[in-house]
Amino acid sequence: MRSLIVAILAFLCGLQAPAFGLEMSDYYSSGMVLQRGEVNVIKGKARPGSKVSVCLDGSRVARTSVDGKGDWQLSLPPQKAGRNHLISISNDGKSIELEDVAFGDIWLCAGQSNMEYSVGMFPYADQVAKSADSKDIRFFNVESRMDGLPRKDIAGEGWLYATGDRVKDLSAVGYFFGKNLSDSLDVPVGLISVNWSGTAIEPWMSKEALEKFPEFQGVLVNSQDKYFEEVEQAFSVFRKDWDDKHYLKGEGLNEKWYSPIHDFSEWKPINLPAYWENAGLEDYDGAVWFKTSFDIPEGFEGDTLLLDLNLIDDYDIAWVNGLKVGETFGNKVWRHYKVATDDLKAKGNVLVLRVFDIGDNGGLNFHPLFASDILSGEWVYQEDYRLETDGFEVPDIVNVSPFSSISVLYNGMLAPLADMKIKGVIWYQGESNVSRAADYEKLLEAMIEDWRRTFSKPDLPFAIVQLANFNLEKDSYADSEWAELRESQQRVSDKVEQVCMATAIDLGDAYDIHPHNKQEVGRRLAEGVLSMVYDRGSCYQQGPRLEKVEYKEKSVILTFDQDLEVKGKYGYVRGFVLSGESGEFAWAKAKLLASNKVEVRANADDRPSALRYLWEDNPGEMNLYGKDSGLPAHPFRTDTLVLSTEGKHYDFD
């Protein structure tokens, strides 16, 4: 007991604020961009009670005292667009100098993988790098972090110039958006990348934003309202007694079942993915060991092999060739273990897992999408220590996923930026929400309101990307979750002030959820922003939109808001389906009737009553474009039928 008390006291002492010298976050670096025309915040840490002053180009503009926690914050007066400024921060005889600071426009580049994918991940990377020579485009990549409460510290590598090979580290959509903006405005453009592949919208929203929706009440009640670092430190102390009492029990560890020379001949076969309850271990909680073998992938070069074990229910320890390579607690935490290639053989490496389940299902039941040659297929397993759950002390751990757990990315990545002034946001996300597409409209609208509150800017501009076409074109018409999500995006763009949308419906790839043509996505976003925010460019910042519908006996006449062009040699318009009294949608023929009118003719005998356009995951080749805008006509439907995703809500926790 005395040792536990000492450990707890040591933990509490570790939480006390250390003595500070002058410190600032990674965000404040040479080459940074500050928002022109706004009061910008400069902040950091220093010795409590000391004085901090800030000078701009040699003239002191602000001075303040450091509070008792070692925090200080100063305001920099609004500045016109410009470059090559020097900001000096002084405290206790120490000075930090930020050189070549620019005042321009800062845009947040946020979303999931289609926003995250950098220039360097595409075939045109070298070509772009050769021509990227303007220091007017600069970027800051926010470090990928999660947390249970809104953080205040900004983490990243610092501000970088989007020049030469460095541009390869910048979001491709962000770069091409920023380049179009910079070329048009002739002001420095700062791009802050805040993104994480595969993430749904819910992790990017604050808990306050989600409170209004009934489906999140249970999740909110059970969410961890603590900083994850504190949880992990407390768990480390907790383990001093808990490991031997509850967790590290059984014969396997004592007998070194993780050794590659252990006799596995009596272990039973199991095909993964599977919960062990479905493989003969009904109602079993506790420790079960798993073993497989793998070869180094052919052609692999590198000092470290990444071993993706994905999700395991609930805790695990992993060994490769007898060496411990990782340990994780929580069935929502993704396992990414690194193995030094010096510890591997070309063939026959032995991977052993000790999986510990504390209730409900146990094992490795990963989604086939995340399968691999190592994970999938036949393993062998052996029961070890059976847990009696009565009296078992369940520890408080960080058990969250960046892909689905509410608010964790808002807390870890967005909230730290709250004091920074920005011009607007470009948002490319939605692929991970298609199964709940009908809900996406209210969530996206709430997220925009949430971020506007966060940045204290009620009219903060948003430019969103409507999802690209994806998956193979179907031979017969069917419901489409992707089309339903595109409609949610369109609705938000239509009804929320200072929101515009760039459709990517014609830019996708049936076989790749990450289409390569980020140049055009960036250009369309910039065109929308130049029109909406800067009052520049064409009034047609979007493709043709439906204005009027006239139902005839055997046809439907559609009027659009701009002149049209039908591309291709055949002259007819692709992508329409019609429904009559039967309620069944069928492909329909369409042609250009006038400069801005399209006639869609029914194939069936019944009078047409509803029409849809490009209402598929991937409508295939589309050929209806704006004559002046050069942009594709937007997907739409004229019916109010119940959507296939209606009633499907968030249910991860």
Side-chain angles (χ1 to χ4, degrees):
M1 177 60 75
R2 183 176 181 276
S3 61
L4 179 60
I5 293 173
V6 170
I8 292 173
L9 289 173
F11 162 67
L12 292 174
C13 289
L15 293 181
Q16 294 178 2
F20 295 110
L22 180 62
E23 297 177 3
M24 300 176 74
S25 79
D26 302 327
Y27 187 85
Y28 296 101
S29 67
S30 291
M32 74 179 300
V33 182
L34 292 171
Q35 181 58 46
R36 60 170 171 160
E38 297 269 12
V39 175
N40 286 280
V41 168
I42 308 291
K43 61 181 181 178
K45 291 186 175 294
R47 181 176 57 83
S50 61
K51 301 290 185 181
V52 175
S53 60
V54 173
C55 294
L56 175 63
D57 297 328
S59 299
R60 191 166 79 183
V61 292
R63 191 168 188 260
T64 191
S65 297
V66 183
D67 69 19
K69 294 181 179 180
D71 296 317
W72 59 268
Q73 180 171 309
L74 288 166
S75 295
L76 204 61
Q79 304 292 320
K80 295 180 180 179
R83 308 152 182 85
N84 300 315
H85 292 282
L86 175 67
I87 295 179
S88 303
I89 304 96
S90 302
N91 166 260
D92 281 352
K94 180 181 178 181
S95 179
I96 295 176
E97 292 195 344
L98 310 180
E99 299 177 342
D100 192 21
V101 174
F103 290 92
D105 286 346
I106 298 178
W107 284 84
L108 216 60
C109 308
Q112 56 182 108
S113 53
N114 268 310
M115 182 64 81
E116 182 180 36
Y117 269 34
S118 64
V119 171
M121 301 177 76
F122 294 102
Y124 44 73
D126 288 340
Q127 181 182 352
V128 172
K130 287 180 182 178
S131 61
D133 58 2
S134 173
K135 288 189 175 182
D136 268 359
I137 305 172
R138 310 174 186 196
F139 66 100
F140 182 91
N141 291 336
V142 175
E143 183 180 308
S144 298
R145 296 190 304 182
M146 298 182 286
D147 219 316
L149 289 173
R151 296 181 68 113
K152 294 183 178 180
D153 57 313
I154 307 171
E157 190 180 348
W159 283 87
L160 301 168
Y161 299 108
T163 56
D165 283 341
R166 287 314 310 229
V167 76
K168 296 178 181 179
D169 298 324
L170 171 58
S171 157
V173 170
Y175 173 69
F176 294 117
F177 166 78
K179 187 176 189 310
N180 278 277
L181 222 56
S182 178
D183 289 346
S184 297
L185 300 175
D186 193 29
V187 299
V189 174
L191 303 168
I192 303 177
S193 283
V194 188
N195 33 62
W196 195 316
S197 294
T199 52
I201 195 172
E202 291 88 350
W204 294 105
M205 301 172 68
S206 72
K207 292 176 183 177
E208 291 76 15
L210 294 169
E211 285 176 345
K212 66 178 76 171
F213 303 115
E215 59 264 35
F216 295 101
Q217 296 310 308
V219 183
L220 288 164
V221 168
N222 295 317
S223 65
Q224 286 177 308
D225 291 325
K226 303 174 184 176
Y227 288 112
F228 288 167
E229 183 179 5
E230 295 176 8
V231 176
E232 290 168 348
Q233 289 176 343
F235 179 50
S236 179
V237 173
F238 179 83
R239 288 192 66 182
K240 295 183 184 300
D241 288 333
W242 178 77
D243 273 12
D244 292 336
K245 185 178 179 181
H246 292 290
Y247 178 48
L248 300 181
K249 299 180 71 173
E251 299 176 357
L253 289 169
N254 292 331
E255 297 178 3
K256 298 183 179 179
W257 290 3
Y258 52 81
S259 171
I261 61 173
H262 179 74
D263 182 6
F264 300 101
S265 60
E266 299 299 318
W267 288 28
K268 296 176 278 294
I270 183 173
N271 277 297
L272 299 181
Y275 287 125
W276 65 50
E277 284 80 359
N278 300 325
L281 291 177
E282 295 84 0
D283 301 321
Y284 186 99
D285 298 316
V288 177
W289 292 67
F290 295 82
K291 176 260 180 184
T292 191
S293 298
F294 68 92
D295 302 333
I296 293 180
E298 188 174 347
F300 175 80
E301 295 181 2
D303 298 328
T304 303
L305 178 69
L306 184 63
L307 198 60
D308 281 317
L309 301 183
N310 298 323
L311 297 177
I312 297 177
D313 201 333
D314 288 289
Y315 314 150
D316 75 284
I317 308 175
W319 295 265
V320 173
N321 297 334
L323 299 174
K324 182 178 176 180
V325 296
E327 180 177 24
T328 302
F329 294 85
N331 61 355
K332 299 172 189 171
V333 183
W334 288 73
R335 277 74 170 168
H336 304 294
Y337 298 148
K338 295 179 180 179
V339 187
T341 50
D342 289 344
D343 296 325
L344 296 172
K345 302 179 292 183
K347 295 184 178 297
N349 297 284
V350 177
L351 168 62
V352 177
L353 303 177
R354 180 185 187 265
V355 179
F356 194 89
D357 182 52
I358 63 172
D360 296 324
N361 293 319
L364 295 86
N365 192 39
F366 47 87
H367 192 284
L369 180 65
F370 302 107
S372 67
D373 292 340
I374 295 176
L375 277 176
S376 300
E378 187 171 290
W379 292 52
V380 291
Y381 75 94
Q382 177 64 49
E383 308 97 303
D384 184 8
Y385 163 63
R386 187 163 195 144
L387 173 69
E388 296 297 332
T389 54
D390 290 344
F392 175 72
E393 296 179 68
V394 178
D396 186 20
I397 60 173
V398 176
N399 186 22
V400 296
S401 163
F403 310 114
S404 58
S405 297
I406 62 166
S407 306
V408 292
L409 301 183
Y410 174 90
N411 291 334
M413 299 176 69
L414 189 83
L417 297 166
D419 290 332
M420 304 301 108
K421 298 299 182 182
I422 63 174
K423 188 69 174 181
V425 178
I426 58 173
W427 174 255
Y428 195 161
Q429 191 276 333
E431 296 91 341
S432 291
N433 280 88
V434 292
S435 63
R436 307 188 304 284
D439 271 1
Y440 192 76
E441 177 185 349
K442 67 181 183 182
L443 292 173
L444 179 57
E445 188 174 0
M447 191 206 77
I448 292 171
E449 180 184 349
D450 187 30
W451 287 25
R452 287 174 170 175
R453 175 191 55 80
T454 298
F455 288 101
S456 302
K457 195 169 183 178
D459 59 349
L460 181 69
F462 269 76
I464 60 179
V465 180
Q466 188 180 47
L467 293 188
N469 47 319
F470 176 60
N471 292 321
L472 292 176
E473 184 180 1
K474 294 181 179 178
D475 294 329
S476 58
Y477 179 76
D479 286 330
S480 167
E481 294 178 345
W482 283 67
E484 292 175 16
L485 192 127
R486 292 187 193 110
E487 181 181 60
S488 287
Q489 293 174 317
Q490 184 73 70
R491 284 177 170 280
V492 172
S493 174
D494 288 345
K495 69 181 176 179
V496 180
E497 293 293 327
Q498 286 296 100
V499 176
C500 65
M501 188 186 76
T503 186
I505 186 65
D506 61 332
L507 302 177
D509 185 329
Y511 300 95
D512 191 346
I513 201 170
H514 306 112
H516 288 196
N517 191 357
K518 305 303 186 193
Q519 296 97 324
E520 180 62 10
V521 175
R523 188 193 72 80
R524 291 180 185 180
L525 284 169
E527 286 295 315
V529 162
L530 285 167
S531 176
M532 179 180 72
V533 179
Y534 298 97
D535 198 25
R536 297 190 182 194
S538 168
C539 60
Y540 293 138
Q541 80 271 23
Q542 297 193 60
R545 300 291 308 284
L546 181 66
E547 236 178 23
K548 183 181 178 182
V549 182
E550 300 174 76
Y551 288 100
K552 305 292 186 180
E553 189 64 32
K554 292 294 182 182
S555 66
V556 183
I557 308 299
L558 307 174
T559 304
F560 289 82
D561 65 352
Q562 54 185 276
D563 286 348
L564 303 169
E565 175 187 9
V566 179
K567 296 188 175 183
K569 63 182 180 180
Y570 298 108
Y572 60 81
V573 183
R574 301 182 82 252
F576 285 100
V577 290
L578 275 179
S579 171
E581 294 177 359
S582 67
E584 296 293 326
F585 284 96
W587 304 117
K589 296 179 180 179
K591 66 178 182 178
L592 193 63
L593 197 63
S595 62
N596 67 333
K597 293 181 184 291
V598 170
E599 180 187 42
V600 185
R601 297 198 62 83
N603 294 322
D605 293 332
D606 54 347
R607 182 184 177 93
S609 60
L611 176 143
R612 294 179 176 183
Y613 176 64
L614 303 184
W615 200 262
E616 300 177 75
D617 293 4
N618 183 3
E621 183 182 354
M622 54 213 75
N623 62 347
L624 186 62
Y625 282 75
K627 189 174 183 179
D628 295 320
S629 69
L631 296 173
H634 288 210
F636 64 86
R637 63 176 178 138
T638 64
D639 63 89
T640 57
L641 297 173
V642 175
L643 299 176
S644 67
T645 57
E646 201 79 47
K648 295 180 179 179
H649 305 302
Y650 178 93
D651 191 29
F652 285 117
D653 293 68

